[in-house]
Each structure stands twice: as C-alpha cells, then as structure tokens.
Amino acid sequence: MKVHVANHPLIAHKLTVLRDERTDSPTFRRLVEELVTLLAYEATREIRTHTVELTTPVTRTKGLKMAEPRPVVVPILRAGLGMLEGMSKLMPNAEVGFLGMVRDEKTLKASTYANRLPEDLSGRHVFVLDPMLATGGTLIAAFHYLLDLGATEITAICILSAPEGVKAMENEFSGSKVPINIVTGALDEKLNEHGYIVPGLGDAGDRLYGVV
Ligand code: URA
C-alpha cells in the first residue's frame, strides 16, 4: 500500500484555515474544493495513458491521452460529496459513482446504506473521496466493496488522516494484489476517545453542510 502525505506550503496554508473553528461553511466548502484539486493532481500522477498522434498548427507530433476505461470517482456520502467538485475540475471526463456509508458513533463500525456504482469495475482505477481517514473503518469497508466489484486500482483522497487509520488500512491491504493508495493533505497526531482526529477539524460533514 502506498501512502502519500502532501508536503506543500499552499496545502499547509489552506489546511490551517480549514482547521480553524471560526471558518464558516461557505469558506470551508471552497477550501475543501481547492484542496482536493491539489491532492487530485498528486493522486492522478500514475493514471493510465496511451499515445496518440496529432497535428499541431506547426507539425505532426505524438501526445498522451487518458486510457479507456475511464477512471471512476466515488465520493463517500455525506462528507465526500464536498470533494466531488474539486476532483471533477481536474478530471471532468471521469465517471462518478456514489457510496453512502455511515459509522455507528458507539462501535465506530461502518455500514453501507446506499450505492450507485457500475456493476463491473474491472479495468477501472477508482478514486475514493473521503475527507477524514480516522479509524479506517469506512474506507476499509468501501475498499472491500470496490474490490468485490473488480476494481483494478483504488486510491483514496483524504484531506486529513490519523496514524491509527493509516495503520488499519496497511494491516488490511498490505497483501493486496490490487494496488491500494492513500493521498492525504496531512497526517495528524492521533484519534481521541470519540474517534475524532486530533488536532483535526471537527466533523467534516457538519462543517461542510451544517448540523442536521
Ligand atoms: N470524521 C470526521 O468528520 N471528523 C473526524 O475527526 C473523524 C471522522
């Protein structure tokens, strides 16, 4: 499993504003969108391409285009939805699927309550959008779901991650034949007793959309 922690002053700056409890929802949403576009740039670095020939106004040349089948972007509802716009900006021709997952606040176990995905993901690189990699429960359940559908490569894009969650993912997927990657804006200190990332940014869904 590959883990990439962003190391860029612009990402650090945006994360600092995002973490601040005084940052309001509209600003929070905009920053998440911007951060995802920056993280997606890194996450798509090894995306499959093929060579094409073309004519510029000056000469014949060769270039690269994204290979078929197209990648699939899967935001995990609800908070992952706030990341979709930023990802779509970078990769507008990707297909988009949805996975609704919720974690029980007592047991911290994740379960699926909705899904809208292609039936067969073979040959597809799936990009999973989930802002907070906390215990890893949600992403582990989501990744198994996608692997069962035949995904050929899976990359999670997370705004923040906790070491506990990254370790849980490593334990679960270190022997996976399918490449598994995590791209995250920062690796925080720890999880608290409620399963929140410390220092973190609080509940990402609530900060994006307000408390319901
Ligand atoms: N989910 C969140 O929204 N925040 C955390 O800190 C952990 C999980």
Side-chain angles (χ1 to χ4, degrees):
M1 188 180 95
K2 275 202 237 162
V3 182
H4 176 87
V5 183
N7 180 13
H8 194 289
L10 206 53
I11 291 181
H13 170 88
K14 290 179 195 294
L15 276 177
T16 302
V17 183
L18 202 70
R19 290 179 190 277
D20 193 324
E21 63 178 6
R22 294 167 300 179
T23 300
D24 60 16
S25 281
T27 311
F28 193 93
R29 280 200 292 272
R30 181 178 51 77
L31 283 167
V32 166
E33 197 183 310
E34 290 170 7
L35 276 163
V36 173
T37 306
L38 293 170
L39 294 175
Y41 182 73
E42 194 55 50
T44 52
R45 186 173 283 282
E46 286 177 30
I47 207 165
R48 284 185 308 117
T49 53
H50 67 105
T51 306
V52 294
E53 288 200 6
L54 68 148
T55 311
T56 74
V58 182
T59 185
R60 275 301 276 173
T61 187
K62 286 184 178 154
L64 293 178
K65 279 198 167 174
M66 266 168 66
E68 292 283 340
R70 287 177 295 156
V72 184
V73 175
V74 179
I76 308 270
L77 306 181
R78 135 182 98 128
L81 215 47
M83 301 170 75
L84 182 58
E85 198 55 38
M87 187 73 188
S88 301
K89 276 210 173 112
L90 200 76
M91 222 169 32
N93 50 349
E95 202 171 330
V96 179
F98 296 92
L99 206 45
M101 309 211 60
V102 66
R103 72 170 183 169
D104 184 303
E105 290 303 328
K106 285 206 184 81
T107 63
L108 302 182
K109 282 234 150 50
S111 57
T112 309
Y113 68 86
N115 107 63
R116 180 108 188 145
L117 290 166
E119 272 171 26
D120 182 8
L121 288 173
S122 39
R124 316 294 290 266
H125 188 160
V126 183
F127 291 89
V128 177
L129 308 180
D130 190 7
M132 309 297 274
L133 168 50
T135 61
T138 302
L139 277 186
I140 288 171
F143 276 31
H144 279 304
Y145 202 88
L146 298 165
L147 289 170
D148 287 348
L149 294 177
T152 300
E153 178 159 2
I154 310 178
T155 300
I157 302 181
C158 306
I159 303 287
L160 292 182
S161 299
E164 292 89 335
V166 172
K167 190 151 196 315
M169 297 281 289
E170 251 155 14
N171 290 343
E172 194 74 18
F173 297 112
S174 60
S176 169
K177 289 199 187 75
V178 173
I180 301 283
N181 318 296
I182 298 171
V183 174
T184 184
L187 190 57
D188 272 12
E189 199 184 311
K190 60 175 184 181
L191 286 182
N192 70 13
E193 63 280 20
H194 304 293
Y196 277 83
I197 298 176
V198 180
L201 50 75
D203 186 302
D206 288 352
R207 296 212 50 199
L208 279 163
Y209 302 118
V211 185
V212 285

